[in-house]
Amino acid sequence: MRLLSYLSWLAAPSLAIAVVQKPKFVVSTFANLPGALFYFEDSPIIMLFDPKAGDVWRSVNDGQEWEQVMEVKGNAYDIIVHPFDKEKAILFTNGNQHWVTSDKGQNWNKFEVELPISFRQSPMVFNGNNTHYALYSGRKCDPGDTFGLSCVDKTYYTKDWFQSGVKFLSANTHGCLFAHGNNVFTQRRVSSIFCIVDGNDKYPEHRKLLTSEDFFGNSVEPKLDGYNTMKGFVGLASVTKFLIAAVRSAGTDEMALYISNDATNWDRAEFPQDHGGLKEDAYTILESTSYSIRVDVLTTSPMGSAMGELFSSNSNGTYFNRNLANTNRLPSGVVDFERIKGIDGIIIANIVGNADQVRLNRRATKKLQSKISFHDGKMGTWHDLRAGNMTLHLHSVTELVNGGRVYSSRSPGLVMGVGNTGDFLQDYTDGDLYISGNAGLTWTRARKGAHKYEVGGSGSIIVAVYDEGITNHVSYSKDYGKHWEDIDLNVDIRARLLTTTPDTTSLRFLLVGTSKDKKSHIFNLDFKNVFEGRKCKLNTDDESKSDFEKWYARYDDDGSPGCLMGRKQYFWRRKKDADCYAGELFKEPAVVNEICKCQHEDFECDFNFVRDLDKKCVLAYGVTLPVPPSECNNPKDTYWGPSGYRKIPGNSCQEGVKKDRPIKRKCEDAISTPSTGKIVSKFSEFNSKMPVEYYYLENTESSSTEEETIIMMTENQKLFVSHDSGQEWKRILKNVKVIGIYPHPQQQHNVYFITNTQKIHYTTDSCHHFYEMDAPQFPNRKGLPFLDFHPRKNDWLIWHGEKNCIDPLRCHSNAYYTITGGEEWHSLKSYSGLCKWARGQLKTTSDKLIFCEHEAQQGDTNQNTMELLSSSNFFIDEVKHFDRIIGFVTMQEFIIVAGVKDDNSLKAFASVDGSSFADANFPHGFNVPHQTAYTVLYSVTHSVFLHVTVNDRGGFEYGSLLKSNSNGTNYVLSLDAVNRNREGFVDFEKMQSLEGVAIANRVVNWKDAAKGEKKKLRTMITHNDGGHWKYINPPAIDSEGNRYQCGEDLEKCSLNLHHYTERGDPRHTFSSSSAIGLMIAVGNVGDVLKGFADGDTFLTTDGGLQWKEIRKGQYLWEYGDQGSILVIVDRTRATDKVHYTLDEGMSWQEYLFGEKIKVTDISTVPADNSRRFLLWGYKEGGGEKFYTVYLDFKGITNLQCVLNEKTDGDNEKGDFFLWSPAEEGNGHCLFGHETQYHRKIANHRCYIGRKLNRIYKTLKNCTCTAEDFECDFNFERASDGTCRLVTGLTPPDHEAVCNDKNVIEYFKSTGYRRLPATTCQGGTELDKVHSIPCPGKEAQWKERHRVLGGFRLFMVIVVPFIAAAGIGYWISKRPLANRFGAIRLGEDGDDGPLIRYLITIISAAIALAMAIRGILSLLGSWVARKFTTTQLYTSRNFFFRSGNYSILDNDEGQVLGNDDGDEV
């Protein structure tokens, strides 16, 4: 169906003109240009939409007469024709009422919906095989939401074409699709639906895919790779017999395409290794066939002159091969590509002839050339278009000037286009009209000048209208453009559209034009008279007596009819000089097929086979073939196996070549090659003392490469890269002096290399290629980060430069921004400090929101504070938030500001929307009159952990760990006297694989330490996000079997661990995000933490409940293969061996790697899912050299672990079991729910390999217990563990929650507040006792809390008290009663029913694996000291693992910590 987009109209009187033996035409005049105009297929009925007036018009006679659709007069917003039902269409308004037709627009039926149409996804989705089924998507936005940030989409469904309205399908949708998205697809039930919906938040990288067969009465997440559910879905498509799902992982713009031809089983599309990967918004799925998908992939920057590369798939859509390089495309994704309609295998495309010049210069003008393929676009089959002995180039889709197809119609072999001969394509107005009668093989010039054109009567007539300016006539030809005649239109117009019925069988045409008075004229052109009623006759026995000729669609080079897909196609088509009209109205020309003998090109690679460099189909890497039963008892035997080829599905060839016949294969090729059982190692030597920084560029789930890339800079500023995890190294950027390396936190393959000039070198493909850009100024020397990256927009950067720094008194920093990836820079703010993009998880904030520190007294070198400004339009306008601050940090959901009071002490403020800031209210009794430093630690669980320095005496620092409510304003004390060091680092670390678990070191002699006594530390652990802390249970015996001598009293004998403040390398975190439940640490058992040299190495496998000593002495450690490999190495002396375990520490082995070195670090990829490691170190007395030792554990086994959810825990059928974290006294309910994880069975010798979604499922939400609550603001823990109101203070007022218009009640404070991360339901809800209606919501409140009477009231009140008394008595008599504590009601009199509850220390961890963002840097701590005056960055974002760590220190007078809180 031809859908034509322009703009719309108002009818005027019609004028009929008839000319003898000439075409007739009728003209209608309208006020506006149409916005949409289409024919209902196989009919003369036309619909016309005028968006300016909001009107719709209908014609039943090819546009001779028009009637207005009165149902939507003035209210029409859009019209869509049903693509699979020639009777149906839908009319949208911009409100909640829409209209549908089932009889080509003769009658319209209204239906009402809850929401107006969506603007973020297609408002209508159709079913190809049941045209009564449809999906409707609407939008809901908050009033006054300028940016649409609050909008959410809901999708509804109908099963009767809206006769009974719509029913709710799913909320928070981002695109839904019927599996039967077209009428070619026939697998699964016709009701099968796929929807992309929000994950746990609104971030695109967390969107998930759901599928249902009962309209989402039940739904599941499909596992496209067979193992994991995925996140980051960005698109769904139905292409002929294929379903396509596009996925983009966090940390990259590279896409993965998953293909299915049955909507159940999916395969990842594999592209050639060197193609660079699919990028988001950088690929276009083109018109495809039933046996192949065609994709054009952007190969240049999306800015400037875009080019692409054309690929086509095999028949199941899994393997793609190159077809054509340097295709012409627009940044929007439109590609110069067209399949010739009705004929297999002929394609015309435009390429960029000066591609090399365009790659070097984005602003270079593209010079286009046209190419044609008669072999389905396969590589090597593209040729020039020929017009005589000249090369022809044609304008294509990127310059669309008419509706429908550009070149072809449904008239066999008749192809037209506007273009020119020569070396390259010229401007459209310099082109002429060319026609080919043999499907593009040869061309002739038909008319001079550019024309719109159309074909009718199945090729009987061609109509053309001048398209370079004003004209008053239309031209037509009856002999394929050899001779032409004109029709005088009697009015001067500018042609806008020329069209006819979609099947091109009609002799009537529709011409739309505008006159000088800006009115629109629609001409109905009728050419039936030009043939005087004579219809062409077909004589298949004698072509000489026939008006038709037998025309083959394709010819080989020798001139004989050619085969494609195993068949020859021919048509009976009208002879060029026959004076008659061909065909019947609405009946397309029939194609006849002749079956060919099979040839080589009729076969493709079979499943699990790929083409090698010689184009032969060979077994794919890592694949072993199945062996028939009773075969291959000896590896030296042979068996009949697959040839590697199969006939392309849909191919009709017979006999001939038989490439798919089974062949003799060696059994040794089909049997898995046994692993060597050996570890491989390799030394590399570097002429420098030590590396000053290195980065792993992590691959994401949607990455197309399996490289493990490391970038390393030595102390003498030499840069090296390795793409194989350190086995081989290569020098890069040899003549460039780099002072800083900035990996892009959202694009793992992009890295920026900052020099001491304005030149920035960068890579977008992990250092395979390098490019240059110019910074707007020299890099700053004020200690500011050179670059800041937008958390959502990959090409949006901020640059901190400097000006006038020859003179120290005039030197200042300036900030610049780019939204084009550095192609153009614009001034942001002069005399600035730190400027940062603020768009993260902040609610309803603009993507353009930027916060900047700014010198209040510009140029005053004595000022040591800044003012804080923000802007949402790049500082065209700005808002001042604070007059004096010393820094700010952005976390996931918060902006935290350290303001300076009049006495020069600090005051913290917080914002969740980037607009309004509230005081950070610290708990009563937390009296630090002169606050000097804050360290912002963490903000993943909807609250902030803030360390406030209490004692800042050098060498004796400690402070209090505070935890905020969900808006970052009210803080309660989580743990006091937490240790920190001079730099502001704090002994606090969250476990990465289990949410809610954290470890901290507390100064137990804090009073004496404040007076100068050496600090004594003890380690504590929490399992409910800081709600309760306890000492760590020590192991009973050490690694040599000896019992510890400090006793069993946990207050005197616990495990104490060396923590963050003692790490030489902050990347040596206790845990890994992929090693579920595992932590390794150095420490000792006793009543206090001893010196590091007295420590031993410990391991836990259950989230810190139980620990064991694994080695005497102090070791470095690393996790591999998602925890199935643990490697440790001695850190205190030179060694030539590592120790490793393959069973979570139950047994250990050692490997000797050669010469002894003093190991300073051990590393692997950030996700810890590799089996390759790298040791870093030096030889004692080795001088100016350091070494890396590459360790490869892949040889230990080549057996991959099997994950079968149906057999989890069955040692015979799988390699995983289901594990739930637990804590004493609370079973497996942590953070209000019970979650199960997949964990490898420890003693199974296999490797995990692929990244697993280790969370299997949340079994249930638990009833609330005391562990799901913490003390409310102004309350504190009493000695019995209950929360008591601080004397002299009042409970907080919770009425602020009523600001949410959906909330109808709030609760009077009970002293407890719900943990932000808990999902518990019902049970002991300590925060909900006395409900109060929100202002104006009294009626809804009363409806919710209806007053009960009589016996029902008695049953509700009395019976629960009776039951409670019985339970209380039972607990009091039990031996373990003391472990529960008491509930006391009403003890505070007028303060209301304040609940007290002794909270036991139990685990309450949410099971949520952390997403580790890319590469984290050591730039601040190492590089800045070596090469620049850049400040010390104490942010854990700059290291491999762990979360936010930002320090605001008044003693330093600056922000010492780079926050980048969005990267947790």
Side-chain angles (χ1 to χ4, degrees), residues 706-760:
E706 295 183 358
E707 292 179 344
E708 295 177 4
T709 300
I710 312 173
I711 302 171
M712 181 252 293
M713 184 163 70
T714 66
E715 196 174 39
N716 50 14
Q717 290 180 275
K718 293 180 179 179
L719 291 169
F720 294 85
V721 67
S722 172
H723 295 294
D724 52 14
S725 207
Q727 185 175 12
E728 302 291 341
W729 294 91
K730 181 178 70 174
R731 180 89 182 273
I732 57 174
L733 298 176
K734 294 182 180 180
N735 299 317
V736 178
K737 184 178 181 181
V738 173
I739 62 172
I741 303 176
Y742 281 71
H744 197 303
Q746 280 77 49
Q747 298 295 310
Q748 305 289 17
H749 303 297
N750 295 12
V751 185
Y752 297 82
F753 300 87
I754 312 301
T755 69
N756 58 356
T757 68
Q758 288 183 245
K759 190 69 67 179
I760 300 175

Side-chain angles (χ1 to χ4, degrees), residues 266-445:
W266 298 78
D267 291 294
R268 178 166 176 166
E270 301 290 343
F271 287 78
Q273 288 290 327
D274 60 345
H275 88 289
L278 297 176
K279 301 298 173 63
E280 185 176 13
D281 299 327
Y283 70 98
T284 304
I285 299 175
L286 300 170
E287 185 180 13
S288 301
T289 66
S290 61
Y291 53 84
S292 182
I293 303 171
R294 287 194 177 87
V295 177
D296 190 83
V297 180
L298 181 71
T299 57
T300 61
S301 167
M303 306 295 178
S305 300
M307 297 189 299
E309 191 165 25
L310 181 64
F311 295 84
S312 65
S313 76
N314 61 351
S315 63
N316 62 10
T318 54
Y319 294 107
F320 283 77
N321 292 313
R322 283 186 174 87
N323 287 170
L324 184 64
N326 305 323
T327 52
N328 182 51
R329 55 184 288 143
L330 299 177
S332 61
V334 178
V335 182
D336 278 348
F337 170 95
E338 183 176 320
R339 286 182 60 223
I340 300 304
K341 185 67 177 178
I343 302 175
D344 289 341
I346 302 178
I347 303 171
I348 298 177
N350 281 353
I351 66 169
V352 179
N354 61 332
D356 291 339
Q357 180 185 2
V358 171
R359 287 191 185 93
L360 293 174
N361 182 3
R362 296 182 190 179
R363 296 182 177 86
T365 300
K366 292 186 287 188
K367 297 180 179 180
L368 305 185
Q369 298 172 324
S370 296
K371 301 291 179 179
I372 189 168
S373 170
F374 296 94
H375 294 81
D376 212 31
K378 302 301 181 185
M379 179 70 80
T381 66
W382 294 87
H383 307 285
D384 293 336
L385 279 66
R386 305 299 297 179
N389 60 355
M390 301 290 289
T391 301
L392 176 66
H393 309 288
L394 301 176
H395 294 271
S396 185
V397 184
T398 57
E399 299 177 273
L400 195 62
V401 295
N402 203 30
R405 290 179 173 270
V406 176
Y407 306 125
S408 61
S409 66
R410 299 185 187 182
S411 300
L414 193 56
V415 186
M416 294 182 287
V418 172
N420 59 270
T421 57
D423 295 330
F424 301 102
L425 184 64
Q426 305 299 322
D427 290 341
Y428 180 76
T429 54
D430 294 329
D432 301 320
L433 177 61
Y434 286 82
I435 294 179
S436 171
N438 50 17
L441 188 64
T442 59
W443 298 75
T444 57
R445 190 173 77 170

Side-chain angles (χ1 to χ4, degrees), residues 39 55 142 190 238 343 419 557 638 717 769 773 877 881 964 1046 1147 1164 1200 1241 1344 1379 1400 1403 1417 1433:
Y39 280 82
D55 293 332
D142 290 343
V190 73
S238 176
I343 302 175
D557 294 338
T638 59
Q717 290 180 275
H769 301 89
M773 72 169 77
D877 302 297
H881 297 280
S964 78
C1046 58
S1147 62
T1164 187
Q1200 189 165 15
I1241 299 173
R1344 175 177 293 182
R1379 297 182 63 179
T1400 58
S1403 171
S1417 127
Y1433 287 90

